[in-house]
Amino acid sequence: MTLSFSTLPELARLLSLLGNVQRLAILQAISAEEKYAREIAGELGISRPLVAIYLKQLEKLGLAEGKSRTSDEPPYLRRYYRAVPFELVLNLDLIVSLLRSEDETG
């Protein structure tokens, strides 16, 4: 998937999300195999609630997918996440184009 943007705020939001080392570590952790929040938290030494927040942010932008599954052990319902392969193409022309678009629309 190639990430695309129609507004400068969309681009800024994505860059802000990807500009966090912990979020990038989470993407790396779920790039090879799917995992659930507690598992990721244990591997990375990040609190489970923070991992859950970051996973939801990544999922909202389409950079991760989550699926709920039942387990034989507590917690019985787990949400497993995997990274969605993506490509980010960013150059000065795109930034200038988005700035012009914003100037034209007000």
Side-chain angles (χ1 to χ4, degrees), residues 3 9 19 21 27 32 35 40 56 66 71 84 96 106:
L3 300 174
V21 174
L27 275 175
K35 298 176 182 176
I40 297 165
K56 285 181 185 179
S71 172
V84 174
V96 169

Side-chain angles (χ1 to χ4, degrees), residues 51-62:
V51 168
I53 289 168
Y54 287 165
L55 285 168
K56 285 181 185 179
Q57 291 171 338
L58 292 167
E59 190 174 24
K60 186 175 181 181
L61 286 177

Side-chain angles (χ1 to χ4, degrees), residues 79-90:
R79 187 154 179 86
Y80 285 84
Y81 291 87
R82 69 174 185 86
V84 174
F86 68 91
E87 179 179 37
L88 174 62
V89 178
L90 178 62

Side-chain angles (χ1 to χ4, degrees), residues 10-35:
E10 284 178 10
L11 174 59
R13 193 171 92 191
L14 176 68
L15 292 176
S16 176
L17 184 82
L18 293 176
N20 178 289
V21 174
Q22 290 178 329
R23 288 187 196 109
L24 292 175
I26 290 170
L27 275 175
Q28 186 276 329
I30 60 175
S31 65
E33 64 178 300
E34 61 184 19
K35 298 176 182 176

